Amino acid sequence: MAGKKQYIVDERLWQKMISQESFSGEVKFMEPMKAHTYLQIGGEADVFACPQDTVSLENILAALNEERIPFVTVGGGTNILVKDGGIYGVVISLKNFRRSDIAKEEKDMVMFFAESGTPLQKLVSFSKENGYSGIEGLAGIPGSVGGAIAGNAGAFGYSIKNMLVSVRMTNPDKGIYEMSASELGLEYRASKLPEDTVILSANMRLRKDVKEDVAKRINSFLKRKRETQPLSEMSAGCVFKNPEGASAGRLIDEAGCKGMRIGNAEVSRMHANFFINKGNAKASDFLKLMDEVKKKVMKVFGTELEPEIRIMGRNVN
Ligand code: EPU
């Protein structure tokens, strides 16, 4: 956030920066982020803006750039932990960017187009209904296409990288441009997206397959997930990345952390790499729990765990 201002962006400042004609969409001020995250944790964002179209999005980005006001983009809010003090500047939600369609069909392949706010599971269902293969391992992962690309989401050896062809994005300096998937530096649960860049849409390639086979794979992955992960509880998915050659869940479990609790944040008894909000948990409790678990795993196994979830926002003063 170097060079960016850190003061509250209020309604007056917003109206001074963004004229009514230059923005269509919804804007909220002092918006509790707990309403926009799967974990249901997080203080207030100064501004929570949901642009309706690309022009409105570009206009906000240009104004924020000019005023050097920080922003973050959120998709489904599934993989983030927002601190209790909320977020400086502007949170841009891409929930209105959810068009998806087949862009091109070839003999064995189909090219998909999806805007970044499209729910990942909408694509999984579409692939299941039509017998398109390549996306099966993403079954049951909540969140949006944009978020899945930013974190290279995946499971069961699949990741979104495997089917991604190109991504259209916008940045206040360059405007709208496209990058091929290989230029995004997608690695295990990570990407190297240029700073202040917002993903607009993606093109993905899937292979035509036997419908029943695709459905069978999707159903079996969903079954395994339901049996091993606490899907019905408030979590942000796996908290830590798997260290090379090991499972963070297994290490946390074997270090004796299952059921460990700070305030209302608890290490799941079902899968130890999921931390659960048992009700009104504070981000500070969740972070303390992460710290305690990290220390225990370090003590028992000498392994340093690295967060997979994206932590953002300010501490309470
Ligand atoms: N295990 C335990 N105790 C636990 C959890 C797991 O002993 O509490 C053991 C399991 O019994 C198994 C091994 O650890 O033998 C691996 O567990 P699992 O198959 O659940 O996979 P994982 O490595 O813990 C990874 C991904 C998940 C993804 C699953 C399925 C990461 C950090 N986790 O988990 O992704 O769903 O594989 O492919 O990469 C996520 O990214 O948010 C996420 C949940």
Side-chain angles (χ1 to χ4, degrees):
M1 210 188 279
K4 296 245 170 127
K5 293 173 181 163
Q6 291 204 13
Y7 49 69
I8 305 275
V9 181
D10 61 10
E11 192 161 354
R12 234 182 54 198
L13 177 56
W14 173 266
Q15 280 165 357
K16 212 173 106 197
M17 279 191 317
I18 319 270
S19 67
Q20 259 186 354
E21 313 78 71
S22 68
F23 178 79
S24 90
E26 198 187 356
V27 189
K28 291 176 173 172
F29 300 91
M30 300 303 281
E31 175 66 4
M33 285 302 293
K34 61 167 64 170
H36 302 284
T37 62
Y38 255 52
L39 255 182
Q40 296 189 24
I41 289 178
E44 292 163 343
D46 296 353
V47 183
F48 189 85
C50 311
Q52 194 59 47
D53 49 49
T54 311
V55 174
S56 300
L57 170 63
E58 286 201 284
N59 288 342
I60 314 180
L61 294 179
L64 297 177
N65 191 42
E66 172 99 18
E67 298 288 334
R68 293 190 296 111
I69 290 172
F71 73 88
V72 289
T73 44
V74 293
T78 54
N79 203 29
I80 58 176
L81 172 67
V82 178
K83 293 189 190 175
D84 300 311
I87 297 182
Y88 276 118
V90 180
V91 174
I92 301 175
S93 160
L94 297 162
K95 68 173 189 190
N96 294 326
F97 290 68
R98 49 169 67 205
R99 277 184 313 133
S100 63
D101 208 346
I102 290 178
K104 201 164 108 188
E105 222 177 316
E106 288 162 13
K107 195 164 153 270
D108 305 322
M109 299 288 196
V110 57
M111 189 80 97
F112 245 82
F113 158 86
E115 287 187 326
S116 56
T118 309
L120 206 50
Q121 291 316 302
K122 188 174 158 194
L123 298 190
V124 173
S125 304
F126 189 77
S127 303
K128 187 176 169 184
E129 281 155 25
N130 293 282
Y132 300 143
S133 173
I135 198 171
E136 294 92 321
L138 303 188
I141 298 181
S144 64
V145 167
I149 294 170
N152 191 22
F156 307 112
Y158 288 75
S159 80
I160 200 159
K161 177 185 177 180
N162 307 129
M163 57 185 181
L164 198 62
V165 175
S166 61
V167 172
R168 213 163 140 257
M169 45 186 95
T170 183
N171 165 307
D173 297 323
K174 288 188 174 175
I176 294 177
Y177 64 107
E178 197 157 314
M179 272 173 99
S180 69
S182 58
E183 291 171 297
L184 294 175
L186 296 175
E187 293 163 14
Y188 166 65
R189 298 296 192 273
S191 66
K192 292 194 181 80
L193 281 172
E195 210 190 325
D196 282 357
T197 298
V198 178
I199 297 175
L200 294 171
S201 63
N203 285 309
M204 289 163 268
R205 191 186 286 118
L206 297 171
R207 198 169 40 78
K208 291 184 187 168
D209 201 342
V210 178
K211 208 159 112 178
E212 290 69 28
D213 292 350
V214 175
K216 217 190 262 171
R217 285 193 289 273
I218 287 179
N219 291 340
S220 101
F221 288 145
L222 281 175
K223 183 166 176 281
R224 262 165 70 187
K225 259 187 186 290
R226 264 186 240 113
E227 284 166 359
T228 58
Q229 300 181 358
L231 301 183
S232 61
E233 296 194 83
M234 288 183 264
S235 83
C238 284
V239 172
F240 294 104
K241 292 183 184 180
N242 281 347
E244 188 90 41
S247 157
R250 186 199 288 265
L251 296 178
I252 298 167
D253 185 356
E254 288 178 0
C257 300
K258 268 190 174 167
M260 215 164 109
R261 183 167 177 153
I262 294 184
N264 279 335
E266 188 177 278
V267 177
S268 165
R269 290 167 202 274
M270 190 176 198
H271 192 300
N273 202 11
F274 284 68
F275 293 9
I276 311 296
N277 174 5
K278 300 299 280 185
N280 292 319
K282 290 200 210 119
S284 56
D285 292 333
F286 200 95
L287 287 164
K288 271 186 223 148
L289 189 60
M290 283 176 71
D291 216 46
E292 287 300 309
V293 164
K294 242 182 105 147
K295 278 192 203 141
K296 270 205 140 179
V297 168
M298 175 53 95
K299 198 168 159 205
V300 177
F301 296 104
T303 304
E304 169 108 28
L305 291 179
E306 250 186 77
E308 182 197 306
I309 54 171
R310 206 169 137 218
I311 300 163
M312 56 176 83
R314 54 197 166 204
N315 296 319
V316 179
N317 292 321

